[in-house]
Amino acid sequence: MNPTTTTLTSLFDRIPRRHSLENLVEIRGIVNEYEEVLLGIEAVNAWYEKKMIIFFEELDEVKTIIKKSTDNKASKKTKDAFFDEASGIFKDSIQALIEVYADGKREA
């Protein structure tokens, strides 16, 4: 396993599933780390650059849903549902990226 795949696997394993203040801080940090990894993969070559668009779009969706889970007007149950949805999408996205990235040696 190369370092990027190891990092992605580590990020995947760290994604919290329950809504709490600590987990909000944690998932935001993971999102930032993931975005840096995406930028690095995008820079590998043109093939990866083309493939990363969907992952950036999914990351934007995750950020939006996480933000919804912090709405003071939302009930605890609603916040929990939003957070669970965001973490699920995030895990699916990372898992898909691990498959697309493979060993980091694909080319156009």
Side-chain angles (χ1 to χ4, degrees):
M1 197 178 290
N2 68 36
T4 301
T5 305
T6 301
T7 299
L8 289 170
T9 302
S10 172
L11 292 174
F12 178 89
D13 291 341
R14 289 176 36 214
I15 295 173
R17 296 294 293 191
R18 297 278 180 213
H19 183 270
S20 71
L21 189 55
E22 296 82 24
N23 286 348
L24 281 168
V25 171
E26 178 69 14
I27 201 166
R28 286 182 179 136
I30 295 167
V31 162
N32 291 336
E33 289 178 54
Y34 180 65
E35 192 164 21
E36 291 298 317
V37 173
L38 281 176
L39 290 169
I41 293 171
E42 183 180 50
V44 170
N45 63 36
W47 190 89
Y48 287 108
E49 184 178 4
K50 292 175 191 171
K51 299 294 182 187
M52 292 305 104
I53 294 168
I54 186 72
F55 297 103
F56 281 108
E57 290 170 353
E58 288 172 348
L59 185 60
D60 287 342
E61 181 182 3
V62 168
K63 288 178 183 180
T64 299
I65 298 169
I66 290 170
K67 186 171 180 156
K68 288 179 182 179
S69 79
T70 65
D71 184 359
N72 289 331
K73 296 177 184 175
S75 69
K76 172 76 170 130
K77 185 176 181 177
T78 301
K79 290 178 182 181
D80 289 346
F82 279 133
F83 193 87
D84 187 51
E85 179 183 1
S87 64
I89 292 168
F90 196 21
K91 281 189 171 241
D92 290 346
S93 182
I94 292 176
Q95 197 165 30
L97 179 58
I98 290 170
E99 292 174 22
V100 168
Y101 181 69
D103 61 1
K105 296 180 181 177
R106 293 184 181 175
E107 302 213 9

